[in-house]
Amino acid sequence: MVLNRVTYRRRLSYNTKSNKTHLCKTPGGKLVTHYSTKKTQISKCGDCKRGLRGIPAVRPTKLASLSKRVKTVNRIYGGTKCSGCVRSRIVRAFLIEEQKIVAKVLKAQAAKK
């Protein structure tokens, strides 16, 4: 009968979220523990909360070591807002400015009469 008991290889001896392991058999037939990394989350848009495309889903420590061109998209609000939300913001700002101009023209016409 073979014992399948394995021990942790690191100092943390509690079954926490950061200490998850799985069993792995070596080519020599030994049963050892391999530590699994936490799952990553995709960066989300600040407005609609959808996943941002073009930005890697990595752990925060890895994200800190990546260069700026990898972490952003070459666009206004790149890396924080998705393209659809940026487009709607630009259109909204344009329409608000148009409304201001129309109101100013109507006010000038009313003053003439």
Side-chain angles (χ1 to χ4, degrees):
M1 187 165 138
V2 179
L3 280 177
N4 285 342
R5 286 189 185 177
V6 290
T7 57
Y8 286 125
R9 305 172 94 177
R10 297 177 185 166
R11 289 178 188 271
L12 180 59
S13 60
Y14 299 104
N15 187 22
T16 58
K17 282 195 291 183
S18 63
N19 204 27
K20 292 299 176 198
T21 60
H22 61 273
L23 297 178
C24 189
K25 209 165 213 174
T26 61
K30 267 177 67 178
L31 203 62
V32 294
T33 56
H34 277 188
Y35 286 89
S36 50
T37 55
K38 288 184 179 180
K39 285 192 176 174
T40 58
Q41 285 202 338
I42 301 168
S43 299
K44 303 276 192 306
C45 171
D47 293 345
C48 65
K49 308 298 184 225
R50 274 196 244 133
L52 291 174
R53 297 162 85 172
I55 293 156
V58 291
R59 297 297 300 166
T61 51
K62 181 83 164 72
L63 199 66
S65 68
L66 293 176
S67 64
K68 187 182 176 185
R69 70 167 193 84
V70 178
K71 291 184 276 195
T72 62
V73 180
N74 197 6
R75 178 177 57 237
I76 189 168
Y77 294 111
T80 58
K81 309 258 186 286
C82 67
S83 61
C85 292
V86 171
R87 183 181 290 127
S88 64
R89 275 172 178 248
I90 292 169
V91 169
R92 191 184 312 127
F94 175 75
L95 291 174
I96 289 169
E97 289 300 316
E98 285 288 312
Q99 279 181 331
K100 286 179 185 175
I101 292 167
V102 168
K104 193 182 284 183
V105 168
L106 289 174
K107 193 173 180 183
Q109 285 178 350
K112 261 187 181 176
K113 289 183 180 179

